Amino acid sequence: MNIIHIKTQHSLHKSVFIGLFCFNNYRQRLQVDKTRSIIPVVYTWMAVSDHRTFLMATLITIWGIRLTANFHRRGGYAWPPWTGDEDYRWEQIRKGHYFKILQNRYIWAIFNFIFISFYQNFLLLLITAPSFAVYTITKEPSCSKENRQSLNVLDAIATLLVLTFIIIESIADNQQYAFQEEKYRQIREGIELRGGYKDGFLQSGLFSIVRKPNYAAEQCIWISYYLFSIAATREEVEL
C-alpha cells in the first residue's frame, strides 16, 4: 500500500471519527456547526508536502481562524460542549417545519446520523480535495519532476483571490453581526423597529449588493482554492 492510499485512508478515518463525534442526542445542540471551520484546516495540514500545499494550508488556517472566531462571538462554543448556539434552521427542521416525518425522534436520529453527522463532514473533506490532489502530484512516483510545477503566477492569483474573498466574508459577517446586535437591543428595550430592523434582515452595506455576500464569498473562496490544483499540473497558464 503506497503513501497515497495511506493518506486517503487516514483522511476517511478522520471523517468517520468526526461524524461519530458530531452525532448526538435528539435534545442536544448539533455539533456539526462547531467543527465546520476547524476540520478543513486539519485536512489541509495533513496534505502538506511542499511549498504549494504549505501555502494552501496556511490560507485555509486563516479562513478557519476567522470563521471560528465569528462563530464563537455568536455564542457557538460553550461548556458543556453539547450546549452553545447552532444554526437556527436545524431547530426548524427538527420540529418538522419542512418535513413532518422528522418530528419522529427515531427518524430524526437516522437523519442526524447519515445526513448531518456523516454526509456534511464528508463534504468538508471533499472541499479540501485540491490539497490532496497537489499532495498526490508531489508524492506519486508516476508524476515525474518534469510534470510538477513550482509556484507560479496561477498560485499568486489563487492566493490573492482567496484572501480577497476572506476579507469580503469578514466585512459581511461584521455588518451582519452589528445589525443583529442592534436589532435585538432595540427589541429588549422595547423600541419600535423601523426599516431593515422591522423587516428583520440587513439591507445596507454589502447586503445591498448581494442578498448573502458572506455565503457568496464563501463559495468563491473554495472555487479559487481549486486553482491551486490546476497550478500544480504540467500545463502552463499563458497570460
Side-chain angles (χ1 to χ4, degrees), residues 3 7 16 22 36 100 117 133 156 188 207 212 227 239:
I3 190 170
K7 184 68 68 172
V16 171
C22 291
R36 186 170 289 130
K100 295 293 184 182
S117 300
R188 288 193 302 269
F207 288 80
K212 293 287 187 179
L227 295 177
L239 296 178

Side-chain angles (χ1 to χ4, degrees), residues 19-53:
L20 290 172
F21 168 78
C22 291
F23 180 68
N24 55 2
N25 185 275
Y26 176 80
R27 298 182 181 277
Q28 293 175 356
R29 297 282 186 173
L30 295 175
Q31 304 301 306
V32 67
D33 292 337
K34 298 178 173 65
T35 63
R36 186 170 289 130
S37 60
I38 299 173
I39 300 308
V41 176
V42 175
Y43 289 146
T44 56
W45 282 103
M46 286 177 59
V48 170
S49 56
D50 64 354
H51 292 97
R52 178 176 287 107
T53 48

Side-chain angles (χ1 to χ4, degrees), residues 10 49 51 55 60 65 89 93 116 120 126 128 130 140 152 160-161 169 192 202 212 218 223 229:
H10 285 176
S49 56
H51 292 97
L55 173 61
I60 298 308
I65 291 174
R89 289 167 294 190
I93 294 174
I116 300 176
Q120 293 212 54
L126 290 182
T128 61
E140 177 58 46
N152 54 62
L160 181 61
L161 287 174
E169 188 177 44
E192 182 181 358
L202 183 58
K212 293 287 187 179
E218 177 72 12
I223 292 173
S229 59

Side-chain angles (χ1 to χ4, degrees), residues 115-127:
F115 179 78
I116 300 176
S117 300
F118 281 95
Y119 176 68
Q120 293 212 54
N121 275 292
F122 183 63
L123 288 181
L124 295 180
L125 175 61
L126 290 182
I127 63 175

Side-chain angles (χ1 to χ4, degrees), residues 6-169:
I6 294 174
K7 184 68 68 172
T8 302
Q9 284 192 351
H10 285 176
S11 302
L12 291 173
H13 290 164
K14 283 181 171 59
S15 183
V16 171
F17 173 79
I18 295 163
L20 290 172
F21 168 78
C22 291
F23 180 68
N24 55 2
N25 185 275
Y26 176 80
R27 298 182 181 277
Q28 293 175 356
R29 297 282 186 173
L30 295 175
Q31 304 301 306
V32 67
D33 292 337
K34 298 178 173 65
T35 63
R36 186 170 289 130
S37 60
I38 299 173
I39 300 308
V41 176
V42 175
Y43 289 146
T44 56
W45 282 103
M46 286 177 59
V48 170
S49 56
D50 64 354
H51 292 97
R52 178 176 287 107
T53 48
F54 178 81
L55 173 61
M56 296 169 74
T58 301
L59 290 172
I60 298 308
T61 300
I62 295 172
W63 165 87
I65 291 174
R66 192 214 67 80
L67 203 59
T68 302
N70 184 64
F71 188 63
H72 173 68
R73 70 175 175 176
R74 290 167 40 205
Y77 299 101
W79 189 262
W82 54 83
T83 60
D85 193 23
E86 68 176 358
D87 191 313
Y88 71 93
R89 289 167 294 190
W90 290 127
E91 183 63 21
Q92 302 301 313
I93 294 174
R94 189 185 290 114
K95 290 180 178 179
H97 287 187
Y98 303 104
F99 302 99
K100 295 293 184 182
I101 193 173
L102 292 177
Q103 289 179 307
N104 183 296
R105 63 180 304 159
Y106 300 106
I107 299 298
W108 170 261
I110 296 173
F111 176 76
N112 184 358
F113 186 77
I114 297 175
F115 179 78
I116 300 176
S117 300
F118 281 95
Y119 176 68
Q120 293 212 54
N121 275 292
F122 183 63
L123 288 181
L124 295 180
L125 175 61
L126 290 182
I127 63 175
T128 61
S131 285
F132 291 97
V134 178
Y135 176 90
T136 301
I137 292 172
T138 60
K139 294 295 184 179
E140 177 58 46
S142 61
C143 296
S144 64
K145 291 184 178 180
E146 290 74 18
N147 290 331
R148 303 170 191 169
Q149 288 289 313
S150 58
L151 290 173
N152 54 62
V153 65
L154 192 52
D155 292 292
I157 293 173
T159 300
L160 181 61
L161 287 174
V162 169
L163 291 175
T164 298
F165 290 122
I166 289 175
I167 292 172
I168 293 174
E169 188 177 44

